[in-house]
Amino acid sequence: MPPKTDSFQRWAKGVHAYGRSLDLLREKEYWRKIDSVPVRRLPVQYDGVSPVAEVREDRLVFSVVETKMVQGISTNFRRSQHLLDLLLAALAQAIYVWSGLENVAIMLEGHGRESIVEGVDVHRTTGWFTSVFPVILSVGHNQDRESLRDLIRENLDRLPHHGIGYGILKYITPPSMRKD
């Protein structure tokens, strides 16, 4: 077996220190801009009947062949694209067609093992490391699918440290350091 990596406890202490770092505080403006994009809630249809009674589950399972086709699509773009770009573009377009909303805020989850703490390696450490952060999906009236995928990829590429700083700023950074 390879040597063990750092403990979750050491990583957590490092994250607390990172929550007070200048490197993280530089992200405040990025997250402030995300929070300032005007978004509306998704429309709901509620006529007084319990919404739980109306819940249904739809499942879609891709075969191995279909999965390989989608993965092939994601590698055939003029730039390196990811499957996530395709899925988010499809989600944005579906919400736009259904609701007419041009800006939709969604929360994405990341693996949470970003290299933000100097000298701490948790790539083999057991535990649930995760990050949750907002992303704005924007669909213009005349935006074609390829442009939308490119826009989503560019927005994801701009995420500082793959979004891990959002939760640290919100929940760990002392209020006095994030109030502005």
Side-chain angles (χ1 to χ4, degrees):
M1 295 286 293
K4 72 177 197 150
T5 54
D6 292 308
S7 70
F8 184 86
Q9 181 180 27
R10 182 165 181 213
W11 176 83
K13 287 179 181 177
V15 167
H16 272 270
Y18 183 72
R20 292 166 176 79
S21 72
L22 290 176
D23 189 33
L24 178 65
L25 294 176
R26 286 185 198 104
E27 293 184 22
K28 287 193 305 185
E29 186 57 32
Y30 175 87
W31 295 115
R32 185 180 296 113
K33 285 180 183 175
I34 294 293
D35 283 344
S36 71
V37 174
V39 293
R40 293 189 344 241
R41 290 182 157 283
L42 294 175
V44 294
Q45 296 174 335
Y46 181 69
D47 59 4
V49 177
S50 171
V52 175
E54 301 293 321
V55 171
R56 79 168 204 244
E57 180 179 325
D58 289 331
R59 287 183 183 237
L60 173 65
V61 178
F62 289 109
S63 69
V64 171
V65 171
E66 291 167 324
T67 301
K68 287 184 179 180
M69 284 175 48
V70 172
Q71 289 171 334
I73 290 169
S74 71
T75 59
N76 288 331
F77 292 122
R78 58 185 148 79
R79 291 183 341 171
S80 173
Q81 297 286 324
H82 299 91
L83 191 52
L84 179 60
D85 306 349
L86 290 171
L87 296 173
L88 290 177
L91 175 64
Q93 287 181 318
I95 290 173
Y96 176 71
V97 168
W98 166 65
S99 69
L101 296 177
E102 291 187 14
N103 292 322
V104 178
I106 64 167
M107 297 299 280
L108 284 185
E109 180 179 359
H111 59 68
R113 293 173 185 258
E114 272 37 85
S115 299
I116 56 169
V117 181
E118 182 102 18
V120 175
D121 176 10
V122 292
H123 81 275
R124 292 188 58 247
T125 303
T126 303
W128 190 258
F129 296 74
T130 192
S131 59
V132 178
F133 50 92
V135 172
I136 305 296
L137 303 178
S138 297
V139 180
H141 291 291
N142 299 317
Q143 196 168 49
D144 62 64
R145 291 180 182 164
E146 190 169 320
S147 297
L148 180 58
R149 284 189 307 257
D150 289 347
L151 179 63
I152 288 171
R153 168 58 22 218
E154 289 166 12
N155 287 339
L156 294 178
D157 285 346
R158 279 195 289 270
L159 279 169
H161 297 104
H162 301 283
I164 194 170
Y166 179 80
I168 297 171
L169 275 167
K170 187 170 183 171
Y171 299 108
I172 295 175
T173 300
S176 62
M177 294 179 80
R178 63 178 152 86
K179 84 166 76 167
D180 65 333

